[in-house]
């Protein structure tokens, strides 16, 4: 690991100023991804700004929603009574992520900002445009069984690894950010980027910007929800495909629906057309199959991830069935 300087911030403004003044600095909170990246030489910050003492760990009602501080732990958030009552889809997605030990360390802000688990990104002997722009994409013609079906480019076909973010995308969350130019709010769908020609940029955050909280608006999606994660072992594995499904039912008729996929794109993949296809229909397998068909329009697989073309629609149907029957 490269030598680095460690500083502990006690004021948000000081942390933001220190980060903005030093292109080689990084914020650190739980460190559950950053430290792995540093040990492997993938990221080599010369300065770590520890933000754990900043007052951003509260989970509280605010206006017509829940405000979850960026430093709230994944485990605390998943067990919070208000989250369980008002956003059970988020709690399910959090509990599907990582392991209990990691959820006890990882923060909500860090979960959003974790980096892809593409193996070429983690091996500094191999080409990777995300780690080293212009070096090429090893996965494009290499082992790409974990990679994207949607929104990729010829520069990068990686997927975003966060489960929590898939639920936040489905729930229309908003990200609160503080930076050198002040505070701003981003729709959750605008936080993460598609790779395009600049896969080295995962998000639309500007240098020095710090996520302070995420807001989850109140919604009707408090009962008929399901987060389905398909992975290669029962825990501590990233999604091959995941589905965040939420239904608002009037009897057996679908009044409103939310759907998002994980493990298929460089960002959580919201399925707006598939959602529209469900509204007004009876909550039947035929309607769910049609939503899955709409959802998969435009999907394109690579040599080793063809299986996702079948797995993803099957997972969508199963997640919707589970959501419809949730008590
Ligand atoms: Fe790197 Fe992206 Fe290609 Fe993986 S898919 S090797 S992260 S450029």
């Amino acid at each position: 690991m490269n030598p680095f300087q460690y500083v502990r911030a006690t004021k948000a403004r000081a942390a933001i100023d220190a980060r903005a003044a030093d292109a080689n600095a990084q914020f650190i909170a739980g460190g559950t991804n950053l430290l792995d990246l540093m040990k492997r030489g993938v990221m080599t910050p010369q300065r770590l700004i520890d933000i754990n003492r900043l007052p951003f760990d509260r989970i509280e009602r605010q206006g017509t929603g829940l405000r979850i501080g960026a430093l709230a732990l994944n485990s605390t958030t998943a067990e919070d009574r208000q989250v369980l009552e008002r956003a059970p889809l988020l709690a399910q997605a959090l509990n599907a992520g990582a392991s209990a030990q990691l959820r006890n360390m990882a923060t909500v802000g860090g979960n959003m900002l974790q980096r892809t688990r593409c193996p070429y990104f983690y091996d500094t002997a191999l080409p990777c445009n995300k780690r080293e722009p212009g070096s090429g994409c090893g996965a494009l013609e290499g082992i790409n069984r974990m990679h994207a079906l949607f929104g990729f480019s010829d520069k990068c076909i990686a997927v975003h690894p966060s489960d929590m973010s898939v639920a936040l995308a489905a729930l229309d969350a908003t990200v609160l950010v503080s930076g050198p130019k002040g505070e701003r709010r981003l729709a959750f769908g605008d936080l993460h980027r598609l790779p395009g020609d600049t896969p080295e940029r995962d998000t639309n955050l500007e240098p020095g910007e710090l996520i302070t909280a995420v807001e989850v608006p109140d919604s009707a999606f408090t009962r008929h929800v399901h987060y389905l994660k398909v992975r290669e072992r029962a825990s501590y594995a990233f999604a091959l495909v995941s589905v965040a499904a939420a239904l608002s039912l009037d009897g057996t008729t679908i009044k409103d629906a939310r759907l998002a996929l994980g493990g298929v794109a460089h960002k959580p993949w919201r399925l707006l057309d598939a959602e529209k296809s469900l509204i007004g229909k009876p909550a039947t397998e035929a309607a769910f199959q049609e939503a899955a068909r709409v959802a998969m329009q435009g999907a394109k697989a690579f040599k080793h991830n063809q299986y996702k073309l079948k797995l993803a629609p099957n997972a969508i149907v199963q997640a919707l069935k589970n959501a419809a029957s949730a008590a």
Side-chain angles (χ1 to χ4, degrees):
M1 192 188 282
N2 274 15
F4 60 88
Q5 188 187 30
Y6 171 86
V7 291
R8 184 179 279 155
T10 53
K11 296 265 191 302
R13 181 48 51 193
I16 291 163
D17 289 346
R19 173 71 183 83
D22 185 351
N24 292 311
Q26 288 284 339
F27 296 129
I28 185 166
T32 55
N33 187 206
L34 178 59
L35 292 179
D36 279 348
L37 291 162
M38 289 172 66
K39 286 178 197 167
R40 290 169 182 246
V42 177
M43 291 179 72
T44 54
Q46 289 166 16
R47 188 177 223 213
L48 289 184
I49 303 164
D50 185 338
I51 57 171
N52 282 297
R53 300 233 170 140
L54 302 184
F56 299 139
D57 62 347
R58 290 175 64 94
I59 301 172
E60 56 197 350
R61 289 282 297 154
Q62 197 156 93
T64 55
L66 274 181
R67 180 184 170 119
I68 302 170
L71 291 173
L73 297 178
N74 285 196
S75 52
T76 308
T77 308
E79 292 162 10
D80 183 86
R81 184 181 52 78
Q82 299 179 93
V83 173
L84 287 165
E85 282 175 7
R86 296 177 182 277
L89 183 65
L90 175 59
Q92 288 183 22
L94 280 162
N95 281 325
S99 65
Q101 291 91 337
L102 286 166
R103 293 194 294 272
N104 283 336
M105 284 297 294
T107 62
V108 165
N111 190 325
M112 291 175 214
L113 299 180
Q114 62 181 301
R115 307 207 68 190
T116 184
R117 263 53 178 196
C118 173
Y120 296 87
F121 177 65
Y122 281 77
D123 189 336
T124 55
L126 298 175
C128 171
N129 286 323
K130 184 179 282 297
R131 175 172 31 77
E132 193 180 334
S135 64
C137 171
L140 204 54
E141 301 295 332
I143 305 298
N144 45 37
R145 59 186 303 280
M146 298 290 288
H147 290 73
L149 298 178
F150 299 100
F152 52 79
S153 72
D154 62 352
K155 301 289 190 300
C156 180
I157 61 172
V159 299
H160 196 268
S162 165
D163 292 297
M164 180 197 75
S165 295
V166 183
L168 289 174
L171 292 170
D172 272 342
T174 299
V175 181
L176 278 61
V177 170
S178 190
K181 295 179 188 161
E183 302 192 344
R184 67 183 179 118
R185 301 164 64 88
L186 277 100
F188 198 83
D190 294 333
L191 174 64
H192 300 100
R193 294 163 56 94
L194 293 179
D197 290 333
T198 53
E200 68 276 14
R201 286 193 66 190
D202 292 345
T203 72
N204 286 313
L205 295 180
E206 299 296 335
E209 284 192 320
L210 176 68
I211 295 176
T212 57
V214 62
E215 286 180 358
V216 183
D218 286 345
S219 72
F221 305 112
T222 55
R223 181 176 171 202
H224 293 290
V225 301
H226 191 79
Y227 186 77
L228 179 67
K229 179 174 181 178
V230 185
R231 48 188 156 178
E232 289 179 321
R233 57 180 181 234
S235 74
Y236 196 30
F238 292 97
L240 299 171
V241 167
S242 67
V243 187
L247 296 171
S248 167
L249 298 179
D250 182 3
T252 57
T253 302
I254 300 168
K255 278 170 57 185
D256 202 358
R258 298 285 174 80
L259 268 179
L261 286 176
V264 300
H266 201 258
K267 59 188 289 184
W269 198 249
R270 182 83 180 265
L271 299 167
L272 294 170
D273 288 341
E275 291 172 7
K276 276 190 210 139
S277 80
L278 287 164
I279 295 171
K281 301 250 182 73
T284 60
E285 174 150 0
F288 302 156
Q289 292 279 6
E290 173 60 11
R293 186 192 68 75
V294 171
M296 296 304 293
Q297 286 173 350
K300 181 179 174 302
F302 294 87
K303 185 174 179 185
H304 300 110
N305 69 346
Q306 299 279 333
Y307 71 95
K308 287 192 181 184
L309 293 175
K310 284 191 176 172
L311 181 61
N314 287 345
I316 290 170
V317 172
Q318 189 61 51
L320 286 166
K321 278 187 190 174
N322 293 355
S325 61

